[in-house]
Amino acid sequence: MLRLLASALLGAGLAAVLVIVLVGDYSRMWIAIPAVTLLPIILVAVGMMPLLGGQVADSSPAVGAARQAGRLAPAGVLGLRATGVRINDVTVYELDLLVEPADRPVYRTSLRRRIDPAEMPRFAVGSVIAVVRLGEDTPDVVIVADDPPPLRYAGDGHAVPVWERDPRARVPGLPRSIVPTGPRSRVARRGVFALVAVGAAAVVGWPYREDLLLSGRDLVTRGHDASAVRGEGRARAAVEAFRGERGSTVTEVLLYDRWTSIIAPTSPGASTYDSFEVRGPHVSRGEPATIQPEPAEEFDLDEVDWDAIAGLFATAQDALGYTDAQLRGNTQHAGVRRDPTAGAVGISVYLSTDYGSGSLDATADGTVVEVG
């Protein structure tokens, strides 16, 4: 279960980080931060599981049921090795045991257990301890505090065959993996973990799929296909994301390369205005507009040909003679608002370089009015 959780956190965390880095939507931090924080802890726990082995308390119902079934047995300690793991300053040891059940032939097995220094004489090589075999047909045992029955086997314990654990067997008291286990299931198990990671990543990243694809391509080609002001269809995608959550009445739309700022009524029909931010499909509400607009400045998103903005940017760039290298690193944006004097909605595209800036004014349908 921990491995499945780690796979899910890995997939979701990577997708959230990609959304933050490529799209700039920091609202995904609530996914990225817990994933980055918890994943190392879970991986450490997963790494310790093989060292600790299956740990069942001697007071558990599974041990009680096995004891009633007559599976209390003596076990001779054949070997004792420190694993190098310490939990609460107590070392974890691996014990090699020779178990002599009453209902089957003697066999060898091993387990891991924390052993306090004061308990070491009890587990010295050659000593006999009491164990309870958890399952009727499994070798897994739990060390109990009972006085051990006498160990009758007098031969070489190291020559006794090891009863290998079946990773697919159901052992009372031990959790059973919900994914395929065992050496033969390695490929299937890894496939399940990969599927869980991909599924978690899809849940987080699927709404941003177009933005991630375009932003990733821009990163490689140094293009601007993901830009809300330069990419084909990206301005419309931004305003449609806003419309889907907040409606179509606004007073100002500012489109930048990585995000879009919109001032709109606080609620439908309200005469107060808030600022909103659109990053990919996510719309977040910010502070009230610094300067509250007049109701006469409102316009409907359908009044504007949003698909014309990328072409207007290209027209302005050609007319002003700016190269991509000159524009790189500077803020480029397009503003859409209603002129309170003329009463018409217009589009203004602004380009800036390290040495100057220029603009283009157009009507709402994309007709160029002035470049300068």
Side-chain angles (χ1 to χ4, degrees), residues 6 11 35 64 156 160 215 247 310 343:
D156 181 6
V160 174
S215 297

Side-chain angles (χ1 to χ4, degrees), residues 96-185:
D96 292 328
L97 300 177
L98 177 72
V99 182
E100 189 176 57
D103 58 346
R104 62 178 53 243
V106 66
Y107 69 92
R108 285 168 52 207
T109 188
S110 63
L111 60 78
R112 292 179 176 87
R113 176 190 172 99
R114 292 191 305 161
I115 301 178
D116 189 271
E119 295 183 292
M120 290 301 293
R122 179 188 174 197
F123 298 101
V125 175
S127 60
V128 179
I129 57 178
V131 298
V132 170
R133 196 174 79 254
L134 291 171
E136 184 178 353
D137 298 308
T138 58
D140 306 83
V141 296
V142 174
I143 297 173
V144 294
D146 303 51
D147 291 331
L151 183 67
R152 296 183 299 273
Y153 185 82
D156 181 6
H158 293 90
V160 174
V162 175
W163 186 355
E164 298 290 352
R165 294 180 177 87
D166 183 353
R168 296 166 297 180
R170 176 71 177 92
V171 181
L174 292 179
R176 188 176 185 182
S177 176
I178 61 176
V179 299
T181 57
R184 296 182 179 179
S185 303

